[in-house]
Amino acid sequence: MKIARFSHDDAIMYGIIDGTDLVVLAGDPMFSGYETTGARVPLADAALLAPVIPRSKVVCVGKNYHDHAAEMGGVAPEEPLLFLKPNTAVIGPGDAIVRPTLSERTEYEGELVVVIGKIAKNVKAENALDYVLGYTIGNDVTARDLQRKDGQWSRAKGFDTFCPLGPVIETDFDPASASIETRVNGEVRQQAPLTDMIHSVPAIIEYASAVFTLLPGDVIMTGTPAGVGEFGAGDVVEVEITGLGILRNSARNAAASS
């Protein structure tokens, strides 16, 4: 089942994709379930938004593919390497990634994203998928020059618009059967099966939930494969995952401050 968050006639709604229509839900399915209103909205008439706005945090995993760890000049950590993005970084499909004036090098990082569906604390890996609502696509946009300058990642990865998510949440998805591809202006830059991840989704949830409570609506970005690189103003970045669709965002430069 594909769940969308969308705007139509100046209202923000949730819906289930059924062919070329959205079946409108009575409320946020995270809290209201899948009760429908009886209304249908043509997909062509709706603007898809970020399918979830994390209630408290975006949890990210760094260097979760061996080849990406190598291209960043190191080895993959034995345990998941966690960092956070603020929820103010989240934008949806079609929204512009804004390249900040503080940075001279912004890079894409296409990733599988896990959407948490219920409160999770000290969850064991064997039960971890019980806490997952579904999956979507993310782009862990990074100001690489600031990451190297700072020696830690909060500023480099936390700018507004640096966490595109979408286009929808898929509740029936198996990462073992899917692959990820990132393109810039149609040129393939990243490509890998999701089975190349070092730490699996259940293992990441166990590790993260031992540190902090995961709340409904929180998301986990599971890491990026090799091939990260720069994009500039006017470029279009697409991240595609088998069965989840395509997350497409253009880029522009931030206006210079007066």
Side-chain angles (χ1 to χ4, degrees), residues 43-68:
L43 265 170
D45 296 341
L48 294 183
L49 307 174
V52 59
I53 299 296
R55 269 56 175 183
S56 67
K57 54 193 169 293
V58 177
V59 180
C60 305
V61 182
K63 300 181 179 179
N64 198 28
Y65 290 74
H66 285 290
D67 52 2
H68 173 59

Side-chain angles (χ1 to χ4, degrees), residues 48 53 73 91 94 109 118 121 131 138 174 183 191 207 225-226 243:
L48 294 183
I53 299 296
I91 57 173
E109 295 188 13
K118 57 184 180 180
K121 179 62 178 175
Y131 296 82
D174 179 12
R183 300 180 290 272
Q191 194 172 50
Y207 189 85

Side-chain angles (χ1 to χ4, degrees), residues 96-106 160-162 230-235 250-257:
I97 300 168
V98 180
R99 301 175 69 250
T101 57
L102 293 173
S103 172
E104 296 182 354
R105 186 178 180 90
T106 49
D160 291 354
T161 76
F162 270 29
E230 188 175 13
F231 65 91
D235 287 343
S250 60
R252 66 175 176 84
N253 290 332
S257 57

Side-chain angles (χ1 to χ4, degrees), residues 238-253:
E238 297 175 307
V239 186
E240 181 173 5
I241 294 179
T242 314
L244 299 183
I246 300 173
L247 172 63
R248 182 181 294 108
N249 299 90
S250 60
R252 66 175 176 84
N253 290 332

